[in-house]
Amino acid sequence: MATKTEAAGKVPGKIPTRNDTPNNGKAVSIGVLQGALVDMADLTNSTKQAHWNVKGSHFYGLHKMFEEFYTILNAQADEIAERCVQLGGIPDGTTETIGATKRIERYDSKLLDGLDHCAALADRYAQMAKELREGIDQTDEAGDADTSDLLTQVSRELDKMLWMIEAHLQGKN
């Protein structure tokens, strides 16, 4: 039998919603989604940094690829934030929160060479994908299959982008 709080769809400290995801699932998912949002925003900004500053013989292809990737990442961040809201959370993607809570290593703003950007981004895309896979397991275990599914979709997209970045690094010493 559901408690009064569960019946009302309330998660403590969150906005009430009629979404019937169990409250524990909501709480776990909101936390996972917030972490993913912060890291996704940071990864988007790192990819923009690479797009703006890439130099070298691979310039044109990498410039276009990085632009495509940050557009995709931005859309994924939006999906993540909107799922958080659907569960009654209040996503925080402010610059201050990103700087204070991101889990991805700081991007070197002085990079210029295209393959150096690829190496730096590959590390960060792989780290983000790992964080997402951990979130997939956490949200699934908490009973929120929808959030787990969303994170799986985002993870697949990141893996594809990582593969494309790594293809540029093949044969690099």
Side-chain angles (χ1 to χ4, degrees):
M1 181 170 209
T3 67
K4 215 176 199 184
T5 301
E6 289 170 336
K10 294 180 182 177
V11 176
K14 308 299 178 207
I15 298 170
T17 176
R18 290 178 179 80
N19 182 303
D20 70 347
T21 300
N23 283 337
N24 179 57
K26 286 179 185 174
V28 168
S29 291
I30 288 168
V32 167
L33 290 163
Q34 178 60 38
L37 174 63
V38 164
D39 290 341
M40 188 67 70
D42 186 55
L43 186 59
T44 302
N45 289 336
S46 296
T47 306
K48 284 181 183 180
Q49 181 70 20
H51 167 77
W52 293 329
N53 292 292
V54 66
K55 305 284 186 264
S57 60
H58 301 96
F59 166 77
Y60 186 76
L62 291 176
H63 182 75
K64 297 300 276 181
M65 183 177 77
F66 296 154
E67 180 177 30
E68 177 186 336
F69 287 3
Y70 77 67
T71 300
I72 292 168
L73 294 171
N74 191 55
Q76 290 174 332
D78 193 56
E79 291 291 327
I80 289 167
E82 288 177 355
R83 179 64 185 160
C84 185
V85 172
Q86 293 164 19
L87 296 172
I90 303 171
D92 183 354
T94 61
T95 302
E96 296 81 11
T97 298
I98 293 167
T101 63
K102 72 185 188 88
R103 299 170 288 191
I104 296 177
E105 183 182 335
R106 184 182 181 280
Y107 197 80
D108 182 355
S109 63
K110 305 274 189 259
L111 290 179
L112 297 175
D113 180 74
L115 295 181
D116 290 344
H117 279 295
C118 286
L121 288 174
D123 290 343
R124 286 155 184 82
Y125 277 64
Q127 184 180 355
M128 177 80 211
K130 180 180 183 285
E131 297 286 348
L132 285 170
R133 280 187 271 284
E134 290 172 4
I136 291 165
D137 292 341
Q138 292 169 3
T139 56
D140 188 50
E141 288 172 15
D144 185 359
D146 292 335
T147 297
S148 180
D149 184 57
L150 170 64
L151 297 176
T152 299
Q153 172 190 336
V154 173
S155 161
R156 276 195 299 266
E157 285 291 324
L158 272 176
D159 284 346
K160 184 176 180 181
M161 289 183 275
L162 175 59
W163 162 63
M164 295 173 120
I165 292 168
E166 287 179 327
H168 288 277
L169 297 171
Q170 295 300 306
K172 183 181 179 209
N173 296 332

Short mmCIF file of all heavy atoms in Angstrom, two decimals, residues 11 25 47 54 79 108 110 115 121 126 128 132 137 140-142 148 153 157 160:
data_model
loop_
_atom_site.label_atom_id
_atom_site.label_comp_id
_atom_site.label_asym_id
_atom_site.label_seq_id
_atom_site.Cartn_x
_atom_site.Cartn_y
_atom_site.Cartn_z
N VAL A 11 8.38 13.67 -4.16
CA VAL A 11 9.71 13.29 -3.73
C VAL A 11 10.18 14.43 -2.84
O VAL A 11 10.10 15.59 -3.25
CB VAL A 11 10.67 13.13 -4.95
CG1 VAL A 11 12.07 12.82 -4.49
CG2 VAL A 11 10.15 12.03 -5.88
N GLY A 25 12.79 5.67 -7.18
CA GLY A 25 13.26 5.76 -8.56
C GLY A 25 13.42 7.20 -9.00
O GLY A 25 14.40 7.56 -9.66
N THR A 47 33.78 20.49 -26.50
CA THR A 47 33.70 20.22 -27.94
C THR A 47 33.61 21.52 -28.72
O THR A 47 34.22 21.65 -29.79
CB THR A 47 32.49 19.30 -28.24
OG1 THR A 47 32.60 18.12 -27.42
CG2 THR A 47 32.45 18.90 -29.70
N VAL A 54 40.46 24.46 -33.46
CA VAL A 54 41.19 23.40 -34.15
C VAL A 54 42.04 23.98 -35.29
O VAL A 54 41.62 24.89 -36.00
CB VAL A 54 40.22 22.31 -34.68
CG1 VAL A 54 39.29 22.84 -35.75
CG2 VAL A 54 40.99 21.10 -35.18
N GLU A 79 17.37 16.80 -23.45
CA GLU A 79 16.56 15.61 -23.13
C GLU A 79 16.78 15.18 -21.68
O GLU A 79 15.82 14.82 -20.99
CB GLU A 79 16.94 14.45 -24.08
CG GLU A 79 16.52 14.65 -25.51
CD GLU A 79 15.02 14.59 -25.71
OE1 GLU A 79 14.33 13.83 -25.00
OE2 GLU A 79 14.53 15.31 -26.59
N ASP A 108 41.92 21.47 -21.71
CA ASP A 108 43.02 22.41 -21.90
C ASP A 108 42.64 23.42 -22.98
O ASP A 108 42.56 23.09 -24.16
CB ASP A 108 44.29 21.65 -22.31
CG ASP A 108 45.50 22.54 -22.49
OD1 ASP A 108 45.37 23.79 -22.39
OD2 ASP A 108 46.58 21.98 -22.74
N LYS A 110 44.26 25.69 -24.27
CA LYS A 110 45.38 26.11 -25.13
C LYS A 110 45.62 25.15 -26.29
O LYS A 110 46.48 25.40 -27.13
CB LYS A 110 46.65 26.23 -24.30
CG LYS A 110 46.53 27.15 -23.11
CD LYS A 110 46.81 28.58 -23.48
CE LYS A 110 46.91 29.46 -22.26
NZ LYS A 110 45.74 30.22 -21.98
N LEU A 115 44.66 16.74 -33.87
CA LEU A 115 44.76 15.41 -33.26
C LEU A 115 44.92 15.50 -31.75
O LEU A 115 44.48 14.60 -31.03
CB LEU A 115 45.89 14.61 -33.90
CG LEU A 115 45.65 14.29 -35.40
CD1 LEU A 115 46.80 13.48 -35.95
CD2 LEU A 115 44.32 13.61 -35.64
N LEU A 121 39.45 15.00 -26.39
CA LEU A 121 38.00 14.74 -26.42
C LEU A 121 37.70 13.26 -26.27
O LEU A 121 36.73 12.89 -25.59
CB LEU A 121 37.38 15.29 -27.71
CG LEU A 121 37.29 16.81 -27.80
CD1 LEU A 121 36.79 17.23 -29.18
CD2 LEU A 121 36.38 17.38 -26.72
N ALA A 126 34.83 9.12 -23.52
CA ALA A 126 34.86 7.80 -22.89
C ALA A 126 34.46 7.90 -21.42
O ALA A 126 33.70 7.06 -20.92
CB ALA A 126 36.25 7.18 -23.03
N MET A 128 32.54 10.22 -20.05
CA MET A 128 31.11 10.54 -20.00
C MET A 128 30.28 9.27 -20.26
O MET A 128 29.29 9.02 -19.57
CB MET A 128 30.79 11.62 -21.04
CG MET A 128 29.34 11.99 -21.15
SD MET A 128 28.87 13.12 -19.83
CE MET A 128 27.17 12.65 -19.60
N LEU A 132 27.57 7.49 -17.81
CA LEU A 132 26.20 7.20 -18.25
C LEU A 132 25.85 5.73 -18.01
O LEU A 132 24.75 5.42 -17.55
CB LEU A 132 26.01 7.54 -19.73
CG LEU A 132 25.88 9.01 -20.05
CD1 LEU A 132 25.96 9.23 -21.56
CD2 LEU A 132 24.59 9.59 -19.49
N ASP A 137 22.62 1.62 -14.94
CA ASP A 137 22.45 0.56 -13.92
C ASP A 137 21.72 1.09 -12.69
O ASP A 137 20.82 0.44 -12.16
CB ASP A 137 23.80 -0.03 -13.52
CG ASP A 137 24.45 -0.81 -14.65
OD1 ASP A 137 23.74 -1.21 -15.60
OD2 ASP A 137 25.69 -1.02 -14.59
N ASP A 140 18.00 1.82 -13.46
CA ASP A 140 17.28 0.56 -13.70
C ASP A 140 17.03 -0.16 -12.37
O ASP A 140 15.91 -0.61 -12.12
CB ASP A 140 18.08 -0.32 -14.65
CG ASP A 140 17.31 -1.54 -15.10
OD1 ASP A 140 16.15 -1.38 -15.55
OD2 ASP A 140 17.86 -2.66 -15.00
N GLU A 141 18.05 -0.21 -11.55
CA GLU A 141 17.91 -0.86 -10.23
C GLU A 141 16.89 -0.13 -9.35
O GLU A 141 16.23 -0.75 -8.52
CB GLU A 141 19.25 -0.93 -9.51
CG GLU A 141 20.20 -1.93 -10.12
CD GLU A 141 21.61 -1.86 -9.53
OE1 GLU A 141 21.78 -1.23 -8.46
OE2 GLU A 141 22.52 -2.43 -10.15
N ALA A 142 16.76 1.19 -9.55
CA ALA A 142 15.81 1.98 -8.74
C ALA A 142 14.39 1.90 -9.30
O ALA A 142 13.48 2.48 -8.71
CB ALA A 142 16.27 3.44 -8.68
N SER A 148 16.51 4.97 -17.52
CA SER A 148 17.54 4.03 -17.94
C SER A 148 17.59 3.94 -19.47
O SER A 148 18.67 3.95 -20.07
CB SER A 148 17.27 2.66 -17.33
OG SER A 148 18.25 1.73 -17.72
N GLN A 153 20.18 5.40 -24.69
CA GLN A 153 20.16 6.08 -25.99
C GLN A 153 21.32 7.08 -26.09
O GLN A 153 22.05 7.12 -27.08
CB GLN A 153 18.83 6.78 -26.19
CG GLN A 153 18.74 7.66 -27.41
CD GLN A 153 17.48 8.51 -27.38
OE1 GLN A 153 16.48 8.18 -26.76
NE2 GLN A 153 17.53 9.64 -28.07
N GLU A 157 24.84 7.09 -28.54
CA GLU A 157 25.27 8.23 -29.36
C GLU A 157 26.70 8.64 -29.01
O GLU A 157 27.51 8.94 -29.89
CB GLU A 157 24.33 9.42 -29.16
CG GLU A 157 23.00 9.28 -29.86
CD GLU A 157 23.10 9.36 -31.38
OE1 GLU A 157 23.94 10.13 -31.90
OE2 GLU A 157 22.35 8.64 -32.04
N LYS A 160 29.19 6.24 -30.45
CA LYS A 160 29.37 6.47 -31.88
C LYS A 160 30.29 7.66 -32.13
O LYS A 160 31.19 7.60 -32.98
CB LYS A 160 28.01 6.70 -32.56
CG LYS A 160 28.11 6.85 -34.06
CD LYS A 160 26.74 6.97 -34.69
CE LYS A 160 26.86 7.12 -36.20
NZ LYS A 160 25.53 7.25 -36.83
#
